[in-house]
Amino acid sequence: VTSNPTRTSPVKRGVFILDNILGTPPPPAPPNVPDLEEARKEFKGREPKLSEMLAAPRSNKLCHSCHSRMDPLGFGLENYDAIGRWREKDGDGAIDAAAELPGGRKFSSPGELKAILRSEPEVFTRALTEKMLTFALGRPLNYADAPVVRKIVRGSAKGNYKFSEDRKSVV
């Protein structure tokens, strides 16, 4: 879902993490965004690394604000190929899963990215709660649902964010 048929997509993977794990989806891309393959033309005769092609949107002020959040998260998953198998190389080159998140937190492997994401369990718990409530209610959440979300997240925190926590104390 987060890859293209012939290659991975750090951007799609980053969007997935922002939306489904962190609950902070980026806004839609502006109209007329050039295809990533257009960036390939700038490398005149040599095959660029994916990270080199993705640097172009981050250098554009309009694109930077979102890509600086999405791309590092996706780069952290580059050791997984388009169908999720572990890999050490992409073509002839070694995988570089290192990146820096906004705010300066750095990582160099999927495990280190995971540790960063796990360091703030309230963020994931809030996102999961919102997704589950949306599903359960059959509608998008609105401002009136915020107190329920906060109550569930606080109750979950008391049980160290475990699903096995007594649900009566959460809801």
Side-chain angles (χ1 to χ4, degrees), residues 23-102:
T24 56
N32 303 324
V33 172
D35 189 81
L36 185 60
E37 299 307 318
E38 290 294 315
R40 190 180 303 274
K41 294 176 185 176
E42 295 179 25
F43 293 90
K44 298 181 178 38
R46 76 171 178 89
E47 186 62 28
K49 290 183 178 181
L50 184 58
S51 59
E52 291 176 308
M53 291 192 322
L54 289 173
R58 288 192 309 278
S59 65
N60 178 322
K61 286 183 182 180
L62 178 63
C63 304
H64 178 77
S65 63
C66 293
H67 278 274
S68 65
R69 293 174 48 223
M70 298 182 295
D71 295 358
L73 294 167
F75 287 136
L77 300 176
E78 274 298 285
N79 283 107
Y80 299 100
D81 70 9
I83 61 170
R85 293 178 299 197
W86 183 261
R87 63 190 183 149
E88 298 287 335
K89 291 183 165 221
D90 184 16
D92 293 334
I95 298 291
D96 181 10
E100 182 175 346
L101 298 170

Side-chain angles (χ1 to χ4, degrees), residues 9 14 19 33 36 39 44 53 66 80 82 85 93 101-102 105 108 113 115 129 131 134 136 161-162 166:
S9 176
D19 187 18
V33 172
L36 185 60
K44 298 181 178 38
M53 291 192 322
C66 293
Y80 299 100
R85 293 178 299 197
L101 298 170
R105 294 178 86 176
S108 60
L113 173 59
T129 299
K131 295 282 184 187
T134 297
Y161 301 102
K162 292 183 181 174
D166 178 17

